[in-house]
Tab-separated table of all heavy atoms in Angstrom:
chain	number	residue	atom	x	y	z
A	27	THR	N	-56.132	-28.374	68.799
A	27	THR	CA	-57.081	-27.554	68.090
A	27	THR	C	-57.292	-26.263	68.900
A	27	THR	O	-57.249	-26.367	70.150
A	27	THR	CB	-58.411	-28.186	67.677
A	27	THR	OG1	-59.142	-28.292	68.899
A	27	THR	CG2	-58.175	-29.548	67.114
A	28	GLY	N	-57.458	-25.100	68.234
A	28	GLY	CA	-57.585	-23.818	69.030
A	28	GLY	C	-56.243	-23.401	69.548
A	28	GLY	O	-56.153	-22.659	70.578
A	29	ILE	N	-55.195	-23.741	68.840
A	29	ILE	CA	-53.836	-23.339	69.307
A	29	ILE	C	-53.634	-21.832	69.327
A	29	ILE	O	-52.741	-21.266	69.988
A	29	ILE	CB	-52.727	-24.092	68.543
A	29	ILE	CG1	-51.429	-24.003	69.202
A	29	ILE	CG2	-52.670	-23.568	67.089
A	29	ILE	CD1	-50.365	-24.836	68.580
A	30	THR	N	-54.368	-21.048	68.455
A	30	THR	CA	-54.142	-19.592	68.386
A	30	THR	C	-54.916	-18.850	69.535
A	30	THR	O	-54.711	-17.689	69.576
A	30	THR	CB	-54.627	-19.128	67.052
A	30	THR	OG1	-56.012	-19.602	66.867
A	30	THR	CG2	-53.772	-19.603	65.880
A	31	GLY	N	-55.632	-19.622	70.246
A	31	GLY	CA	-56.459	-18.952	71.438
A	31	GLY	C	-55.590	-18.875	72.691
A	31	GLY	O	-54.366	-19.146	72.761
A	32	GLN	N	-56.176	-18.247	73.720
A	32	GLN	CA	-55.400	-18.132	74.947
A	32	GLN	C	-54.786	-19.393	75.426
A	32	GLN	O	-53.607	-19.455	75.714
A	32	GLN	CB	-56.406	-17.480	76.060
A	32	GLN	CG	-55.810	-17.477	77.437
A	32	GLN	CD	-56.748	-17.188	78.548
A	32	GLN	OE1	-56.724	-16.074	79.109
A	32	GLN	NE2	-57.569	-18.160	78.948
A	33	ASP	N	-55.710	-20.359	75.634
A	33	ASP	CA	-55.271	-21.685	76.258
A	33	ASP	C	-54.352	-22.360	75.301
A	33	ASP	O	-53.307	-22.933	75.729
A	33	ASP	CB	-56.448	-22.553	76.586
A	33	ASP	CG	-57.282	-22.065	77.671
A	33	ASP	OD1	-57.067	-20.831	78.185
A	33	ASP	OD2	-58.142	-22.666	78.158
A	34	GLY	N	-54.656	-22.386	74.080
A	34	GLY	CA	-53.862	-23.103	73.040
A	34	GLY	C	-52.449	-22.586	73.094
A	34	GLY	O	-51.501	-23.373	73.009
A	51	MET	N	-53.878	-26.932	64.741
A	51	MET	CA	-54.743	-26.623	63.704
A	51	MET	C	-55.048	-25.189	63.720
A	51	MET	O	-55.357	-24.686	64.832
A	51	MET	CB	-56.043	-27.454	63.864
A	51	MET	CG	-57.111	-27.068	62.849
A	51	MET	SD	-58.872	-27.634	63.373
A	51	MET	CE	-58.708	-29.411	62.946
A	52	ILE	N	-54.861	-24.510	62.562
A	52	ILE	CA	-55.168	-23.044	62.506
A	52	ILE	C	-56.161	-22.834	61.264
A	52	ILE	O	-56.173	-23.589	60.347
A	52	ILE	CB	-53.952	-22.160	62.353
A	52	ILE	CG1	-53.206	-22.459	61.041
A	52	ILE	CG2	-53.084	-22.276	63.488
A	52	ILE	CD1	-52.163	-21.460	60.669
A	53	ARG	N	-57.002	-21.829	61.465
A	53	ARG	CA	-57.930	-21.444	60.529
A	53	ARG	C	-57.350	-20.624	59.483
A	53	ARG	O	-56.552	-19.749	59.782
A	53	ARG	CB	-59.292	-20.732	61.122
A	53	ARG	CG	-59.937	-21.744	62.068
A	53	ARG	CD	-61.382	-21.192	62.306
A	53	ARG	NE	-61.303	-20.029	63.233
A	53	ARG	CZ	-62.417	-19.388	63.570
A	53	ARG	NH1	-63.581	-19.744	63.072
A	53	ARG	NH2	-62.375	-18.466	64.432
A	55	ALA	N	-57.582	-17.404	57.545
A	55	ALA	CA	-58.145	-16.100	57.710
A	55	ALA	C	-57.478	-15.101	56.832
A	55	ALA	O	-56.386	-15.330	56.297
A	55	ALA	CB	-58.014	-15.552	59.161
A	59	ASN	N	-53.667	-14.568	62.173
A	59	ASN	CA	-54.425	-14.797	63.513
A	59	ASN	C	-53.518	-15.648	64.493
A	59	ASN	O	-53.974	-16.359	65.391
A	59	ASN	CB	-55.686	-15.634	63.239
A	59	ASN	CG	-55.562	-16.910	62.490
A	59	ASN	OD1	-54.441	-17.250	62.214
A	59	ASN	ND2	-56.496	-17.734	62.194
A	62	ARG	N	-50.584	-14.918	69.153
A	62	ARG	CA	-50.222	-15.556	70.498
A	62	ARG	C	-49.270	-16.653	70.396
A	62	ARG	O	-48.699	-17.069	71.452
A	62	ARG	CB	-51.537	-16.139	71.071
A	62	ARG	CG	-52.561	-15.108	71.550
A	62	ARG	CD	-53.726	-15.769	72.324
A	62	ARG	NE	-54.738	-14.953	72.771
A	62	ARG	CZ	-55.939	-14.821	72.225
A	62	ARG	NH1	-56.302	-15.492	71.153
A	62	ARG	NH2	-56.870	-13.974	72.746
A	82	GLY	N	-56.960	-26.013	58.908
A	82	GLY	CA	-58.191	-26.887	59.009
A	82	GLY	C	-59.293	-26.098	59.744
A	82	GLY	O	-59.085	-25.003	60.092
A	83	ASP	N	-60.301	-26.854	59.922
A	83	ASP	CA	-61.507	-26.234	60.663
A	83	ASP	C	-62.154	-27.440	61.342
A	83	ASP	O	-62.338	-28.490	60.731
A	83	ASP	CB	-62.524	-25.639	59.667
A	83	ASP	CG	-63.503	-24.841	60.392
A	83	ASP	OD1	-64.278	-25.333	61.215
A	83	ASP	OD2	-63.382	-23.510	60.318
A	84	ILE	N	-62.476	-27.172	62.639
A	84	ILE	CA	-63.019	-28.280	63.497
A	84	ILE	C	-64.365	-28.795	62.850
A	84	ILE	O	-64.786	-29.942	63.121
A	84	ILE	CB	-63.170	-27.909	64.860
A	84	ILE	CG1	-63.270	-29.085	65.899
A	84	ILE	CG2	-64.270	-27.010	65.195
A	84	ILE	CD1	-62.083	-29.881	65.968
A	85	THR	N	-65.117	-28.038	62.142
A	85	THR	CA	-66.346	-28.388	61.535
A	85	THR	C	-66.162	-29.107	60.233
A	85	THR	O	-67.169	-29.633	59.638
A	85	THR	CB	-67.241	-27.200	61.334
A	85	THR	OG1	-66.735	-26.265	60.402
A	85	THR	CG2	-67.589	-26.462	62.688
A	104	ASN	N	-58.569	-30.887	72.292
A	104	ASN	CA	-59.628	-30.135	71.527
A	104	ASN	C	-60.081	-28.879	72.215
A	104	ASN	O	-60.962	-28.917	73.044
A	104	ASN	CB	-60.887	-31.091	71.201
A	104	ASN	CG	-61.789	-30.337	70.337
A	104	ASN	OD1	-61.406	-29.564	69.429
A	104	ASN	ND2	-63.160	-30.628	70.541
A	105	LEU	N	-59.431	-27.741	71.887
A	105	LEU	CA	-59.662	-26.500	72.513
A	105	LEU	C	-60.496	-25.541	71.566
A	105	LEU	O	-60.956	-24.563	71.973
A	105	LEU	CB	-58.418	-25.763	72.912
A	105	LEU	CG	-57.471	-26.554	73.709
A	105	LEU	CD1	-56.268	-25.688	74.174
A	105	LEU	CD2	-58.070	-27.174	74.954
A	106	ALA	N	-60.627	-26.009	70.315
A	106	ALA	CA	-61.330	-25.100	69.323
A	106	ALA	C	-62.794	-24.936	69.781
A	106	ALA	O	-63.534	-25.939	70.119
A	106	ALA	CB	-61.404	-25.776	67.977
A	107	ALA	N	-63.245	-23.642	69.761
A	107	ALA	CA	-64.637	-23.368	70.120
A	107	ALA	C	-64.976	-21.947	69.678
A	107	ALA	O	-64.043	-20.999	69.626
A	107	ALA	CB	-64.862	-23.516	71.538
A	108	GLN	N	-66.207	-21.652	69.423
A	108	GLN	CA	-66.781	-20.252	69.581
A	108	GLN	C	-66.994	-20.167	71.135
A	108	GLN	O	-67.978	-20.690	71.575
A	108	GLN	CB	-68.116	-20.185	68.696
A	108	GLN	CG	-68.570	-18.762	68.535
A	108	GLN	CD	-68.821	-17.960	69.795
A	108	GLN	OE1	-67.973	-17.332	70.397
A	108	GLN	NE2	-70.031	-18.247	70.392
A	109	SER	N	-66.106	-19.401	71.678
A	109	SER	CA	-66.007	-19.634	73.155
A	109	SER	C	-66.629	-18.461	73.921
A	109	SER	O	-66.708	-18.391	75.143
A	109	SER	CB	-64.521	-19.629	73.593
A	109	SER	OG	-63.909	-18.392	73.397
A	110	HIS	N	-67.303	-17.486	73.153
A	110	HIS	CA	-67.894	-16.374	73.831
A	110	HIS	C	-69.418	-16.549	74.178
A	110	HIS	O	-70.221	-16.716	73.114
A	110	HIS	CB	-67.722	-15.112	72.960
A	110	HIS	CG	-67.815	-13.806	73.762
A	110	HIS	ND1	-68.987	-13.301	74.273
A	110	HIS	CD2	-66.902	-12.953	74.330
A	110	HIS	CE1	-68.845	-12.155	74.923
A	110	HIS	NE2	-67.491	-11.977	74.943
A	120	TYR	N	-74.208	-21.747	64.622
A	120	TYR	CA	-72.803	-21.755	64.386
A	120	TYR	C	-72.057	-22.276	65.682
A	120	TYR	O	-71.175	-23.142	65.572
A	120	TYR	CB	-72.322	-20.382	63.965
A	120	TYR	CG	-70.808	-20.340	63.867
A	120	TYR	CD1	-70.162	-20.808	62.729
A	120	TYR	CD2	-70.000	-19.717	64.838
A	120	TYR	CE1	-68.750	-20.719	62.578
A	120	TYR	CE2	-68.662	-19.630	64.731
A	120	TYR	CZ	-68.015	-20.130	63.633
A	120	TYR	OH	-66.578	-20.135	63.512
A	124	VAL	N	-69.641	-25.547	65.945
A	124	VAL	CA	-68.160	-25.522	66.252
A	124	VAL	C	-67.903	-26.092	67.609
A	124	VAL	O	-67.040	-27.039	67.767
A	124	VAL	CB	-67.670	-24.038	66.238
A	124	VAL	CG1	-66.184	-23.942	66.684
A	124	VAL	CG2	-67.862	-23.383	64.907
A	125	SER	N	-68.616	-25.682	68.653
A	125	SER	CA	-68.318	-25.955	70.012
A	125	SER	C	-68.916	-27.390	70.498
A	125	SER	O	-68.525	-27.860	71.457
A	125	SER	CB	-68.806	-24.894	70.950
A	125	SER	OG	-68.302	-23.679	70.598
A	147	GLN	N	-61.122	-32.954	76.078
A	147	GLN	CA	-62.165	-32.137	75.620
A	147	GLN	C	-62.229	-30.906	76.538
A	147	GLN	O	-62.279	-31.177	77.781
A	147	GLN	CB	-63.523	-32.822	75.528
A	147	GLN	CG	-64.695	-31.965	75.392
A	147	GLN	CD	-64.643	-31.077	74.083
A	147	GLN	OE1	-63.957	-31.322	73.195
A	147	GLN	NE2	-65.368	-29.958	74.084
A	148	ALA	N	-62.226	-29.699	75.961
A	148	ALA	CA	-62.232	-28.448	76.732
A	148	ALA	C	-63.678	-28.186	77.179
A	148	ALA	O	-64.455	-27.445	76.537
A	148	ALA	CB	-61.764	-27.318	75.984
A	149	SER	N	-64.158	-28.866	78.202
A	149	SER	CA	-65.473	-28.699	78.751
A	149	SER	C	-65.447	-27.426	79.755
A	149	SER	O	-64.414	-26.965	80.182
A	149	SER	CB	-65.994	-29.923	79.508
A	149	SER	OG	-66.427	-30.799	78.499
A	150	SER	N	-66.717	-26.962	80.079
A	150	SER	CA	-66.779	-25.660	80.745
A	150	SER	C	-67.664	-25.621	81.966
A	150	SER	O	-68.762	-26.294	81.990
A	150	SER	CB	-67.329	-24.705	79.713
A	150	SER	OG	-67.606	-23.427	80.363
A	151	SER	N	-67.399	-24.793	82.878
A	151	SER	CA	-68.207	-24.614	84.111
A	151	SER	C	-69.466	-23.973	83.751
A	151	SER	O	-70.491	-24.137	84.529
A	151	SER	CB	-67.483	-23.755	85.220
A	151	SER	OG	-67.060	-22.567	84.570
A	173	TYR	N	-73.977	-21.581	73.956
A	173	TYR	CA	-72.696	-22.165	74.214
A	173	TYR	C	-72.596	-23.292	75.278
A	173	TYR	O	-72.054	-24.330	74.930
A	173	TYR	CB	-71.814	-21.019	74.738
A	173	TYR	CG	-70.426	-21.436	75.211
A	173	TYR	CD1	-69.348	-21.595	74.394
A	173	TYR	CD2	-70.223	-21.482	76.617
A	173	TYR	CE1	-68.130	-21.916	74.915
A	173	TYR	CE2	-68.950	-21.955	77.146
A	173	TYR	CZ	-67.953	-22.164	76.207
A	173	TYR	OH	-66.761	-22.482	76.681
A	177	LYS	N	-71.620	-27.178	74.573
A	177	LYS	CA	-70.519	-27.788	75.481
A	177	LYS	C	-71.073	-29.036	76.108
A	177	LYS	O	-70.300	-29.972	76.393
A	177	LYS	CB	-69.994	-26.840	76.407
A	177	LYS	CG	-69.053	-25.769	75.815
A	177	LYS	CD	-67.680	-26.408	75.494
A	177	LYS	CE	-66.727	-25.297	74.936
A	177	LYS	NZ	-65.446	-25.917	74.492
A	198	GLY	N	-61.966	-31.982	80.756
A	198	GLY	CA	-61.541	-31.058	81.797
A	198	GLY	C	-62.726	-29.960	81.854
A	198	GLY	O	-63.035	-29.363	80.893
A	199	ILE	N	-63.390	-29.981	82.973
A	199	ILE	CA	-64.507	-29.030	83.180
A	199	ILE	C	-63.836	-27.725	83.879
A	199	ILE	O	-63.767	-27.748	85.104
A	199	ILE	CB	-65.619	-29.655	84.029
A	199	ILE	CG1	-66.111	-30.985	83.435
A	199	ILE	CG2	-66.744	-28.613	84.124
A	199	ILE	CD1	-67.076	-31.710	84.361
A	200	LEU	N	-63.472	-26.855	83.061
A	200	LEU	CA	-62.696	-25.699	83.560
A	200	LEU	C	-63.540	-24.471	83.944
A	200	LEU	O	-64.397	-24.036	83.131
A	200	LEU	CB	-61.537	-25.380	82.536
A	200	LEU	CG	-60.306	-26.187	82.798
A	200	LEU	CD1	-60.444	-27.666	82.795
A	200	LEU	CD2	-59.198	-25.768	81.753
A	201	PHE	N	-63.315	-23.983	85.095
A	201	PHE	CA	-63.803	-22.698	85.466
A	201	PHE	C	-63.087	-21.583	84.825
A	201	PHE	O	-61.923	-21.832	84.300
A	201	PHE	CB	-63.985	-22.542	87.003
A	201	PHE	CG	-65.066	-23.460	87.648
A	201	PHE	CD1	-65.005	-24.806	87.449
A	201	PHE	CD2	-66.095	-22.869	88.286
A	201	PHE	CE1	-66.116	-25.620	88.070
A	201	PHE	CE2	-67.187	-23.629	88.773
A	201	PHE	CZ	-67.148	-24.960	88.664
A	202	ASN	N	-63.626	-20.447	84.864
A	202	ASN	CA	-62.987	-19.264	84.161
A	202	ASN	C	-61.537	-19.164	84.433
A	202	ASN	O	-61.172	-19.181	85.609
A	202	ASN	CB	-63.704	-17.952	84.509
A	202	ASN	CG	-65.153	-17.967	84.129
A	202	ASN	OD1	-65.861	-18.916	84.526
A	202	ASN	ND2	-65.634	-16.956	83.451
A	203	HIS	N	-60.682	-18.963	83.461
A	203	HIS	CA	-59.343	-18.750	83.654
A	203	HIS	C	-58.847	-17.709	82.636
A	203	HIS	O	-59.180	-17.680	81.492
A	203	HIS	CB	-58.550	-20.019	83.567
A	203	HIS	CG	-58.775	-20.903	82.367
A	203	HIS	ND1	-59.914	-21.788	82.449
A	203	HIS	CD2	-58.269	-21.051	81.192
A	203	HIS	CE1	-60.016	-22.347	81.270
A	203	HIS	NE2	-59.043	-22.007	80.474
A	204	GLU	N	-57.998	-16.840	83.166
A	204	GLU	CA	-57.654	-15.494	82.462
A	204	GLU	C	-56.128	-15.346	82.427
A	204	GLU	O	-55.469	-16.016	83.092
A	204	GLU	CB	-58.375	-14.364	83.254
A	204	GLU	CG	-59.761	-14.716	83.786
A	204	GLU	CD	-60.816	-14.878	82.769
A	204	GLU	OE1	-60.822	-13.970	81.854
A	204	GLU	OE2	-61.674	-15.774	82.745
A	207	ARG	N	-53.109	-12.736	78.075
A	207	ARG	CA	-53.404	-13.196	76.650
A	207	ARG	C	-54.970	-13.317	76.335
A	207	ARG	O	-55.380	-13.825	75.396
A	207	ARG	CB	-52.717	-14.394	76.181
A	207	ARG	CG	-51.278	-14.267	76.179
A	207	ARG	CD	-50.577	-15.620	75.670
A	207	ARG	NE	-49.246	-15.578	76.161
A	207	ARG	CZ	-48.512	-16.653	76.102
A	207	ARG	NH1	-48.907	-17.778	75.550
A	207	ARG	NH2	-47.230	-16.585	76.544
A	208	ARG	N	-55.827	-13.106	77.412
A	208	ARG	CA	-57.200	-13.272	77.337
A	208	ARG	C	-57.789	-12.400	76.212
A	208	ARG	O	-57.429	-11.274	76.095
A	208	ARG	CB	-57.838	-13.022	78.707
A	208	ARG	CG	-59.378	-13.180	78.814
A	208	ARG	CD	-59.678	-14.693	78.590
A	208	ARG	NE	-60.823	-15.149	79.421
A	208	ARG	CZ	-61.624	-16.051	79.032
A	208	ARG	NH1	-61.573	-16.587	77.977
A	208	ARG	NH2	-62.532	-16.418	79.938
A	209	GLY	N	-58.817	-12.891	75.536
A	209	GLY	CA	-59.410	-12.160	74.483
A	209	GLY	C	-60.021	-10.778	75.123
A	209	GLY	O	-60.502	-10.809	76.220
A	212	PHE	N	-63.715	-10.495	76.798
A	212	PHE	CA	-64.053	-11.235	78.118
A	212	PHE	C	-63.996	-10.243	79.235
A	212	PHE	O	-63.074	-9.311	79.217
A	212	PHE	CB	-63.268	-12.469	78.346
A	212	PHE	CG	-63.468	-13.539	77.245
A	212	PHE	CD1	-62.721	-13.561	76.150
A	212	PHE	CD2	-64.592	-14.464	77.390
A	212	PHE	CE1	-62.942	-14.538	75.093
A	212	PHE	CE2	-64.909	-15.306	76.318
A	212	PHE	CZ	-64.016	-15.474	75.264
A	253	MET	N	-54.552	-29.599	82.211
A	253	MET	CA	-54.996	-30.332	81.098
A	253	MET	C	-53.975	-31.519	80.835
A	253	MET	O	-54.349	-32.630	80.543
A	253	MET	CB	-55.005	-29.431	79.743
A	253	MET	CG	-56.017	-28.389	79.872
A	253	MET	SD	-55.901	-27.372	78.288
A	253	MET	CE	-56.851	-26.034	78.805
B	421	LIG	P1	-60.329	-18.629	72.668
B	421	LIG	O1	-59.214	-17.799	73.175
B	421	LIG	O2	-61.560	-18.050	72.262
B	421	LIG	O3	-59.723	-19.584	71.633
B	421	LIG	C1	-60.577	-20.408	70.808
B	421	LIG	C2	-59.757	-21.056	69.741
B	421	LIG	O4	-60.622	-21.855	68.892
B	421	LIG	C3	-58.965	-20.120	68.798
B	421	LIG	O5	-57.866	-20.641	68.497
B	421	LIG	C4	-59.898	-20.135	67.590
B	421	LIG	O6	-59.289	-19.823	66.370
B	421	LIG	C5	-60.279	-21.592	67.595
B	421	LIG	N1	-61.523	-21.862	66.751
B	421	LIG	C6	-62.666	-21.221	66.704
B	421	LIG	N2	-63.471	-21.664	65.915
B	421	LIG	C7	-62.813	-22.735	65.190
B	421	LIG	C8	-63.062	-23.582	64.113
B	421	LIG	N3	-64.276	-23.558	63.470
B	421	LIG	N4	-62.161	-24.490	63.697
B	421	LIG	C9	-60.979	-24.485	64.372
B	421	LIG	N5	-60.594	-23.628	65.346
B	421	LIG	C10	-61.588	-22.794	65.692
B	421	LIG	O7	-60.697	-19.694	73.928
B	421	LIG	P2	-59.835	-20.091	75.203
B	421	LIG	O8	-60.196	-19.160	76.347
B	421	LIG	O9	-58.440	-20.289	74.890
B	421	LIG	O10	-60.542	-21.514	75.668
B	421	LIG	C11	-60.044	-22.642	75.003
B	421	LIG	C12	-61.203	-23.682	75.158
B	421	LIG	O11	-61.562	-23.904	76.518
B	421	LIG	C13	-62.441	-23.323	74.403
B	421	LIG	O12	-63.032	-24.530	73.931
B	421	LIG	C14	-63.311	-22.832	75.450
B	421	LIG	O13	-64.699	-22.862	75.175
B	421	LIG	C15	-62.941	-23.637	76.641
B	421	LIG	N6	-63.045	-23.066	77.947
B	421	LIG	C16	-62.516	-21.869	78.264
B	421	LIG	C17	-62.547	-21.371	79.541
B	421	LIG	C18	-61.864	-20.009	79.839
B	421	LIG	O14	-62.177	-19.573	80.983
B	421	LIG	N7	-60.957	-19.559	79.115
B	421	LIG	C19	-63.259	-22.058	80.540
B	421	LIG	C20	-63.804	-23.276	80.193
B	421	LIG	C21	-63.662	-23.783	78.862
B	421	LIG	P3	-59.082	-18.243	65.905
B	421	LIG	O15	-57.909	-17.702	66.571
B	421	LIG	O16	-58.853	-18.516	64.415
B	421	LIG	O17	-60.280	-17.638	66.166
Side-chain angles (χ1 to χ4, degrees):
T27 71
I29 193 167
T30 55
Q32 170 190 257
D33 291 7
M51 175 195 282
I52 59 166
R53 293 197 286 177
N59 57 1
R62 292 187 179 104
D83 192 293
I84 197 68
T85 60
N104 183 34
L105 310 186
Q108 191 301 94
S109 73
H110 202 284
Y120 174 76
V124 177
S125 309
Q147 169 58 22
S149 286
S150 167
S151 55
Y173 168 81
K177 284 285 183 182
I199 308 173
L200 272 52
F201 284 64
N202 300 51
H203 45 280
E204 321 290 313
R207 293 185 207 170
R208 185 60 143 149
F212 296 94
M253 295 176 193

